[in-house]
């Protein structure tokens, strides 16, 4: 958004510039994504500037822009640009009127070329060389003229395709449309799907995906609803167990990031001025024009990406982590995500940090680069925390990666509640394979947790202030995060300097599948743990958080009373999974102890219902 400003009054020697004349203009600018106007600290009691003819004003001092409005104050550092040329070493201001524009495709092709030629991590062959999905959609075309052609598709068997034929996958949202009205692979539709059909008969998102694949010269596309039988439980479970291989072996993944359903499509019209970085033109004291941008533009892409509809779909996390390359077609701009680069149209040269050094940027020893190449387990994703990489123990690093994935995954949404464990089944298989590569072993998977570190990871907890919900139909035992719908946190600190206060006596899981896949749905689960227990009396603090006031050992008539926080030292807290679980009297079994950041030790346990 181009913002022209006027010098309208002085405050002492400080020139003050007009910004927005009224509240509605300020609000509209924030909604359109202006980095200066959005995320403004709310302060409704702050005096408005409207008595000077503006709702918001700003002044510049020491290369910083200080904005004052009826809602509060905000500061942004200014980056000076060359006058009228908008030359910037890092950002791009030349955007087309659509995400299907020539400028957009030029960037996409450059990203693909760079990745294919230079990124060693992205060029690595996936396990199972020669893998082809069970079924694929084959694209054919009929040239109508030099500039016009018709695309057709048909369902084919992967085994009938030429060996190692390149194919692409589609990551998208089905939407809320009735399944009966959706084109799907069924026993009743397979014969029609095997016949060449014009792609214009497909929902827009699938139709656009065919166009994208054809643009890259790729003949085969994998789409879940058309390549997996939707009326065969047996076929669905078999294919769901192989989905990690489908995405891992694809040339790239097409992500319909900005589409809320299968009719949203991959391409969107846009006003370039509302997407490109904001240019701030200011008149100096002697009338000279000066051109700037806010440093906040460096990270503006993050909120934009996280607000896209597809990000909240639970299955997408596994699809993104498995794909060697993903092209995200957002509603405002296109993003690139691979193992060695993150970029978007406004940041074509890339952004973000990686938990390793690329060969082109590393000046460190070959031994260090080789050690780093073994980690991380998966590629770093756009707009997610940096993968944990400070641990020396490879087993701890792998388990910490799994904990980070659980935290991310738990904050997404599932259409089918029973898919909770299935949608990360492929990632769980990756963890087991990685653990076995360091040290052969069985590595039992217990409904989302690993037996090897079960005691340490039993102390996962629900985000404070955001209580979870327990699903009505059984999905996992209560001690598993998979039993809840809600944001779960699993700290990687439990794998370092931890003392176990309890021990595992036995663990048993009843699996839904009889094919030996322990990473899929479960029907039951039991744990037997031996450890010290105590009674706790607690009082409500907020939402799902209570304060522990009194501890009483069960075996002995010994009571410790705690009266909340002691100065700078926080008091003991209880975080309940759901509001229905909360109570003022409970039993606790102590699980682990760790060094506290403020000195001494802190113990964590499981809060149980009282049995008296």
């Amino acid at each position: 958004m181009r913002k022209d400003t006027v010098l309208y009054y002085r405050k002492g020697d400080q020139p003050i510039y007009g910004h927005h004349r009224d509240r509605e203009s300020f609000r509209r600018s924030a909604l359109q994504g202006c980095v200066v106007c959005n995320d403004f600290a709310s302060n409704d009691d702050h005096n408005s500037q409207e008595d000077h003819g503006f709702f918001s004003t700003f002044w510049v001092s020491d290369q910083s822009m200080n904005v004052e409005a009826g809602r509060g104050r905000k500061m942004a550092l200014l980056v000076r640009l060359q006058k009228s040329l908008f030359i910037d070493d890092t950002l791009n201001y030349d955007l087309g009127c659509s995400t299907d524009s020539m400028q957009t495709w030029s960037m996409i092709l450059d990203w693909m070329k760079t990745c294919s030629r230079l990124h060693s991590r992205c060029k690595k062959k996936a396990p199972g060389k020669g893998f082809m999905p069970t079924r694929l959609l084959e694209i054919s075309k009929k040239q109508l003229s030099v500039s016009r052609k018709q695309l057709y598709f048909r369902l084919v068997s992967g085994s009938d395709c030429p060996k190692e034929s390149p194919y692409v996958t589609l990551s998208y949202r089905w939407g809320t449309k009735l399944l009966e009205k959706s084109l799907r692979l069924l026993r009743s539709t397979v014969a029609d799907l095997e016949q060449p059909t014009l792609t214009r008969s497909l929902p827009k998102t699938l139709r656009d995906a065919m166009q994208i694949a054809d643009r890259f010269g790729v003949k085969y596309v994998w789409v879940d609803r058309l390549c997996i039988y939707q009326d065969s439980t047996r076929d669905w479970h078999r294919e769901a167990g192989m989905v990690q291989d489908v995405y891992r072996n694809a040339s790239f993944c097409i992500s319909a990031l900005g589409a809320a359903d299968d009719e949203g499509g991959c391409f969107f019209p846009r006003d370039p001025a509302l997407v490109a970085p904001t240019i701030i033109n200011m008149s100096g004291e002697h009338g000279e024009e000066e051109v700037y941008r806010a440093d906040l533009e460096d990270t503006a892409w993050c909120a934009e990406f996280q607000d896209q509809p597809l990000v909240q779909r639970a299955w997408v996390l596994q699809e993104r982590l498995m794909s060697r390359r993903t092209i995200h077609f957002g509603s405002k701009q296109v993003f690139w995500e691979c193992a060695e680069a993150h970029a978007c149209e406004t940041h074509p040269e890339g952004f973000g940090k990686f938990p390793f050094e690329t060969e082109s940027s590393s000046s460190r020893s070959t031994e260090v680069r080789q050690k780093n190449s073994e980690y991380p387990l998966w590629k770093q994703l756009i707009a997610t925390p940096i993968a944990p990489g400070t641990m020396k123990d490879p087993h701890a690093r792998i388990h910490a990666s799994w904990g980070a994935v659980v935290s991310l995954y738990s904050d997404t949404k599932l259409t089918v509640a029973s898919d909770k464990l299935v949608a990360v089944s492929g990632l769980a298989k990756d963890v087991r394979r990685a653990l076995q590569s360091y040290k052969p072993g069985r590595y039992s998977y217990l409904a989302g947790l690993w037996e090897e570190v079960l005691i340490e990871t039993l102390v996962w907890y629900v985000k404070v202030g955001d209580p979870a919900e327990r699903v009505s139909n059984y999905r996992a035992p209560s001690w598993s995060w998979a039993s809840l719908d809600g944001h779960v946190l699993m700290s990687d600190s439990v794998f370092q300097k931890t003392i176990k206060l309890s021990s595992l006596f036995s663990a048993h899981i009843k699996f839904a599948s009889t094919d030996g896949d322990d990473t899929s749905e479960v029907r039951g689960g039991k744990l037997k743990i031996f450890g010290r227990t105590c009674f706790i009396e607690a009082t409500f603090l907020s939402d799902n958080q209570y304060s522990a006031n009194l501890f009483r050992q069960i075996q002995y008539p010994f009571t410790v009373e705690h009266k909340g926080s002691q100065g700078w030292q926080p008091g003991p807290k209880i975080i309940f999974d759901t509001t229905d679980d909360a109570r003022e009297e409970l039993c606790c079994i102590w699980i682990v102890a760790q060094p506290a950041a403020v000195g001494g030790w802190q113990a964590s346990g499981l809060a149980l219902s009282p049995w008296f």
Side-chain angles (χ1 to χ4, degrees):
M1 186 190 310
R2 186 184 179 95
K3 176 62 61 184
D4 294 302
T5 61
V6 294
L7 175 63
Y8 83 99
Y9 85 98
R10 291 178 177 277
K11 189 175 183 179
D13 294 331
Q14 178 67 61
I16 307 295
Y17 296 88
H19 190 230
H20 284 278
R21 290 194 177 275
D22 54 52
R23 183 185 297 268
E24 180 56 30
S25 173
F26 186 91
R27 187 189 69 85
R28 187 166 56 251
S29 178
L31 291 175
Q32 290 171 342
C34 174
V35 295
V36 174
C37 301
N38 65 10
D39 293 329
F40 214 86
S42 180
N43 184 358
D44 293 332
D45 295 329
H46 187 75
N47 294 327
S48 172
Q49 306 299 308
E50 289 179 308
D51 56 339
H52 294 291
F54 289 90
F55 173 75
S56 61
T57 60
F58 72 90
W59 67 92
V60 177
S61 63
D62 298 326
Q63 294 298 302
S64 66
M65 178 179 180
N66 302 272
V67 184
E68 187 169 318
R71 299 180 60 195
R73 290 187 176 93
K74 184 176 182 178
M75 185 188 78
L77 296 178
L78 293 178
V79 178
R80 190 167 187 172
L81 308 178
Q82 289 193 24
K83 182 179 177 181
S84 74
L85 296 179
F86 309 148
I87 295 177
D88 194 315
D89 292 337
T90 58
L91 304 189
N92 172 49
Y93 299 81
D94 181 23
L95 302 178
C97 294
S98 163
T99 54
D100 191 25
S101 66
M102 291 180 60
Q103 295 100 314
T104 298
W105 276 107
S106 177
M107 279 188 203
I108 293 174
L109 295 175
D110 282 345
W111 292 331
M112 182 65 77
K113 186 184 298 183
T114 299
C115 181
S116 301
R117 292 180 178 179
L118 304 178
H119 294 175
S120 59
R121 291 172 179 270
C122 304
K123 290 190 292 184
K124 286 181 179 179
K125 285 289 186 181
K129 184 179 179 181
F131 171 88
M132 289 294 284
T134 305
R135 306 173 193 92
L136 286 162
L137 300 174
E138 182 184 65
I139 301 174
S140 58
K141 52 190 171 185
K142 180 179 179 181
Q143 202 72 38
L144 302 178
S145 66
V146 175
S147 59
R148 292 181 61 239
K149 59 186 173 184
Q150 286 182 331
L151 293 183
Y152 296 80
F153 76 96
R154 71 183 181 105
L155 183 69
V156 297
S157 171
S159 59
D160 292 337
C161 301
K163 189 176 180 181
E164 295 192 41
S165 295
Y167 67 91
V168 300
T169 55
L170 174 63
S171 182
Y172 69 110
R173 290 184 65 169
W174 286 37
T176 57
K177 183 167 50 179
L178 293 174
L179 291 179
E180 292 74 18
K181 296 184 178 180
S182 301
L183 179 62
R184 298 173 294 152
L185 176 58
L186 307 168
R187 293 183 181 90
S188 60
T189 62
V190 61
D192 290 336
L193 288 171
E194 289 175 339
Q195 301 302 313
T197 306
L198 282 169
T199 58
R200 68 187 181 199
S201 65
L202 292 170
K204 189 175 186 307
T205 300
L206 279 64
R207 187 166 68 247
D208 287 350
M210 298 288 175
Q211 179 183 330
I212 293 166
D214 179 66
R215 188 142 191 168
F216 279 98
V218 178
K219 192 176 180 180
Y220 299 100
V221 180
W222 187 89
V223 181
D224 55 0
R225 66 198 262 184
L226 298 179
C227 295
I228 301 175
Y229 276 101
Q230 301 300 307
D231 57 354
S232 169
T233 302
R234 182 177 180 181
D235 187 72
W236 189 90
H237 279 289
R238 181 177 62 249
E239 294 299 314
M242 296 179 0
V243 73
Q244 72 274 9
D245 295 319
V246 171
Y247 280 88
R248 186 184 284 118
N249 286 277
S251 295
F252 62 91
C253 175
I254 300 166
S255 163
L257 184 69
D261 53 36
D262 61 2
E263 290 291 354
C266 296
F267 307 123
F268 297 87
R270 65 187 176 193
D271 181 349
L274 298 180
V275 181
T278 302
I279 299 298
I280 303 170
N281 294 298
M282 294 188 294
S283 298
E285 293 188 54
H286 303 292
E288 71 278 12
E289 184 182 34
E290 297 176 346
V291 185
Y292 297 88
R293 72 165 174 87
D295 70 321
L296 299 172
E297 296 287 1
D298 294 335
T299 55
W301 58 265
C302 186
E304 181 183 317
F305 186 92
Q306 291 174 325
D307 287 342
Q308 296 291 288
L310 188 63
V311 174
Q312 279 300 307
R313 178 176 174 260
W315 281 89
V316 168
L317 180 62
Q318 178 170 261
E319 293 165 3
R320 289 174 65 191
L321 287 169
M322 293 298 181
S323 302
R324 67 177 81 182
R325 309 174 185 95
T326 302
I327 307 173
H328 296 282
F329 290 85
S331 59
K332 293 184 178 180
Q333 61 175 316
V334 175
F335 293 80
W336 172 271
E337 180 179 76
C338 71
E340 293 195 30
H342 294 163
C344 63
E345 291 180 74
T346 54
H347 292 70
E349 300 302 318
F351 54 76
K353 297 180 180 179
F354 291 83
F356 61 86
E357 293 183 51
T358 60
E359 291 184 10
S360 59
S361 64
S362 175
S363 59
R364 301 174 70 183
S365 67
T366 302
E367 291 78 13
V368 171
R369 290 199 302 270
Q370 184 175 358
K371 180 180 179 181
N372 284 341
S373 69
E374 298 172 353
Y375 188 81
L377 182 57
W378 302 290
K379 72 172 187 275
Q380 180 66 40
L381 299 182
I382 291 175
T384 60
I386 297 294
T390 59
M391 303 174 190
K392 295 181 179 180
D393 178 26
H395 274 67
R397 293 192 310 195
I398 294 169
H399 285 300
S401 291
W402 175 251
V405 161
V406 167
S407 296
L408 286 172
Y409 174 69
S410 66
D411 198 28
T412 58
K413 302 291 188 294
L414 278 167
T415 302
V416 180
S418 59
D419 288 349
K420 192 76 170 187
L421 289 169
V422 183
V424 287
S425 171
L427 299 178
K429 291 182 173 73
D430 268 3
V431 170
R432 175 177 284 139
R433 184 162 43 242
L435 290 170
Q436 290 175 337
S437 70
Y438 281 104
K439 181 181 178 182
R442 189 164 59 96
Y443 299 106
S444 296
Y445 183 69
L446 306 172
L449 300 173
W450 296 92
E451 185 174 354
E452 181 188 28
V453 290
L454 182 64
I455 294 298
E456 294 92 330
T457 53
L458 274 176
V459 293
W460 58 263
Y461 58 96
V462 172
K463 184 179 178 181
V464 174
D466 189 14
E469 294 183 0
R470 208 171 296 281
V471 293
S472 55
N473 294 327
Y474 185 88
R475 190 170 65 192
S478 62
W479 41 265
S480 167
W481 55 266
S483 65
L484 302 172
D485 283 335
H487 192 182
V488 169
L489 300 175
M490 191 180 292
S491 173
D492 58 14
S493 65
V494 297
F495 304 111
Q496 305 179 68
K497 298 181 180 179
T498 299
I499 296 177
K500 297 180 183 180
L501 303 179
S502 290
S503 57
L504 177 64
F505 188 77
S506 65
H508 175 72
I509 295 290
K510 183 179 180 181
F511 300 104
S513 173
T514 57
D515 60 4
D517 186 359
D518 63 351
T519 64
S520 191
E521 297 176 62
V522 301
R523 292 287 179 265
K526 291 183 179 180
L527 289 182
K528 287 186 179 180
I529 296 176
F530 179 82
R532 290 189 175 276
T533 58
C534 71
F535 285 121
I536 296 178
E537 292 182 9
T539 55
F540 173 80
L541 284 178
S542 62
D543 298 303
N544 58 330
Q545 185 176 213
Y546 277 56
S547 173
N549 302 322
L550 186 143
F551 298 86
R552 187 171 71 252
Q553 288 192 9
I554 295 176
Q555 295 91 339
Y556 308 100
F558 180 69
T559 301
V560 175
E561 188 174 356
H562 197 284
K563 300 188 178 186
S565 301
Q566 304 294 320
W568 48 265
Q569 190 171 10
K573 302 290 189 296
I574 303 165
I575 303 171
F576 290 100
D577 294 342
T578 72
T579 53
D580 291 337
D581 293 337
R583 62 199 66 224
E584 294 181 345
E585 292 185 339
L586 55 126
C587 179
C588 168
I589 180 170
W590 297 109
I591 301 297
V592 295
Q594 300 169 262
V598 294
W601 289 78
Q602 63 180 27
S604 301
L606 295 182
L608 310 173
S609 299
W611 55 64
F612 55 89

